Amino acid sequence: MDLEFYKYQGTGNDFIMIDNRSKTFPKNKTDIIAKLCDRHFGIGADGLILLEEDDTTDFKMVYYNSDGNESTMCGNGGRCIVAFAHKLGLFETETTFIAIDGLHHASIFNNLVSLQMIDVNRVNIFDKYVFTNTGSPHHVQLVNNLANYDVFSNGKKIRNEIYGTEGSNVNFVEQITNNTFKVRTYERGVENETLACGTGVTAVAIAMHATKKTNSSSITLPVEGGELEVSFEEQDGIYCNVFLKGPATFVFKGKINI
């Protein structure tokens, strides 16, 4: 069959978008999804996202990692599907949609998408790192000289040795100013460093606040593919009204035979 697809990227995190309201996409074919995401033999992407109908919101988001397996929430993917839904005319400026981690509110203006993330009521602080779940599990660790840090080797080791088969995303962080933190992320499922990770920078912002590295509730996060912003409210260790903001850009559309 010929598959129509759209390619989007958010700060370098790139995704294949498919309008699956017709329910024709072979969702159980992990090999097809992995091949579409393959950068040598397919379209190439960090993940594939299906836009589907939902009874109570504007649409449903179904996210697959580039290995072909359905995965937990993807923040940049969430921002990109908002831009995709806007392109399809499903809403004007504000929307609600359902994802694997629940209900999300979002808005778009001039290709900038602001996406509400889930509340975070648990931040596990260890001697050398922080672990929290922002829709996906995240390890957050401060390092020196991030520009020259071996993210792949160290991220892969932490992902497997600490978190086992299920794994965790691993974020390495360098503080720039009181409210600016540079981030590089090793993503499970992709099994490599990506140019950005939305749930990752959200976890970093919350972790840096929880460990008192910053007293700001609006955090700027430079990533390899650009810059993201995370804002939140905190009371008694619970983080709510968490918003991830940044660009979501249409790249191209096409058809491919699967």
Side-chain angles (χ1 to χ4, degrees), residues 117-128:
M117 308 295 282
I118 63 168
D119 292 351
V120 175
N121 54 24
R122 187 173 181 181
V123 181
N124 298 312
I125 301 172
F126 299 91
D127 287 341
K128 295 183 179 180

Side-chain angles (χ1 to χ4, degrees), residues 11 59 75 83 130 133 218 223 226 247:
T11 53
F59 59 91
V130 175
N133 192 306
S218 180
V223 294

Side-chain angles (χ1 to χ4, degrees), residues 166-236:
E166 184 175 344
S168 173
N169 301 290
V170 183
N171 305 273
F172 299 104
V173 186
E174 184 173 23
Q175 184 163 9
I176 307 301
T177 69
N178 173 61
N179 69 332
T180 303
F181 296 85
K182 188 174 181 181
V183 183
R184 294 175 65 188
T185 302
Y186 179 95
E187 287 199 51
R188 64 172 189 170
V190 179
E191 304 307 335
N192 207 337
E193 181 180 5
T194 55
L195 294 180
C197 178
T199 53
V201 297
T202 304
V204 168
I206 289 172
M208 294 301 99
H209 187 271
T211 54
K212 303 188 187 307
K213 299 298 182 184
T214 181
N215 57 7
S216 178
S217 59
S218 180
I219 312 295
T220 300
L221 300 128
V223 294
E224 294 296 282
E227 187 172 282
L228 293 162
E229 179 185 328
V230 173
S231 61
F232 51 78
E233 296 176 8
E234 182 270 332
Q235 188 169 1
D236 299 325

Side-chain angles (χ1 to χ4, degrees), residues 73-94:
M73 181 58 183
C74 175
N76 283 328
R79 292 189 311 96
C80 284
I81 200 172
V82 168
F84 180 42
H86 183 260
K87 185 179 182 68
L88 294 177
L90 299 187
F91 71 96
E92 291 187 6
T93 57
E94 296 184 354

Side-chain angles (χ1 to χ4, degrees), residues 44-98:
D46 291 327
L48 180 145
I49 303 176
L50 302 179
L51 183 148
E52 299 185 339
E53 288 186 337
D54 182 65
D55 292 336
T56 58
T57 66
D58 290 330
F59 59 91
K60 179 181 180 181
M61 170 185 175
V62 184
Y63 174 70
Y64 298 86
N65 278 327
S66 61
D67 62 4
N69 293 305
E70 187 174 356
S71 190
T72 47
M73 181 58 183
C74 175
N76 283 328
R79 292 189 311 96
C80 284
I81 200 172
V82 168
F84 180 42
H86 183 260
K87 185 179 182 68
L88 294 177
L90 299 187
F91 71 96
E92 291 187 6
T93 57
E94 296 184 354
T95 186
T96 59
F97 68 94
I98 199 76

Side-chain angles (χ1 to χ4, degrees), residues 17 19 21 28 30 42 66 71 85 117 124 150 155 165 184 246 248:
M17 297 287 178
D19 181 355
R21 288 176 291 176
N28 60 332
T30 58
S66 61
S71 190
M117 308 295 282
N124 298 312
D150 188 348
T165 304
R184 294 175 65 188

